[in-house]
Amino acid sequence: MRRYLYRCPVCRTTSGVRFSPGEIAAEGEHHRHQLHAGHYPDGEQAGEVDRRGRWYAGLGIITTLHARLADTYADLRDPKGSGGRLWADALSWLTLTGSALTVLWATTAALQL
């Protein structure tokens, strides 16, 4: 389940979690029309976040992969709540480590041929 937030730096407010891009676009439009007379505040953000509330756009590549996997694993049990983060984090790191070791092994085996 994808999660989205809208953040207005002028008002210093963040919307509640929404579950579709359409909902977050409507949230932003409503906020701009109600409080800013339709103007776009400088530094306004709207985008996808992980379960911890971190913006995916601000994360590095490995951290983004880990967060995406952990969110997916946690959603298997609890799609709209906070889920069991500990087992999801562990399984995500195990998946990333196993994938990296597989690529390393395959590369080493290919170079030895």
Side-chain angles (χ1 to χ4, degrees):
M1 173 94 24
R2 309 278 174 143
R3 292 161 186 79
Y4 299 88
L5 290 179
Y6 170 79
R7 170 98 178 120
C8 178
V10 175
C11 301
R12 302 185 61 81
T13 59
T14 303
S15 70
V17 174
R18 302 293 185 260
F19 297 103
S20 75
E23 289 179 19
I24 205 62
E27 179 79 25
E29 284 293 321
H30 176 73
H31 177 81
R32 281 190 295 277
H33 286 295
Q34 291 294 325
L35 298 173
H36 302 292
H39 297 278
Y40 288 84
D42 291 339
E44 168 185 72
Q45 282 184 309
E48 193 172 356
V49 295
D50 68 353
R51 284 178 175 263
R52 294 179 182 175
R54 300 178 297 180
W55 299 89
Y56 279 120
L59 299 176
I61 293 171
I62 299 297
T63 309
T64 300
L65 281 171
H66 167 68
R68 178 82 66 197
L69 282 170
D71 286 349
T72 301
Y73 290 145
D75 282 342
L76 293 176
R77 286 191 178 173
D78 188 14
K80 292 207 176 187
S82 60
R85 270 312 281 199
L86 184 59
W87 73 270
D89 279 340
L91 188 56
S92 175
W93 280 119
L94 184 64
T95 302
L96 287 174
T97 305
S99 299
L101 288 175
T102 301
V103 168
L104 181 64
W105 174 79
T107 304
T108 305
L111 291 175
Q112 288 180 356
L113 291 177

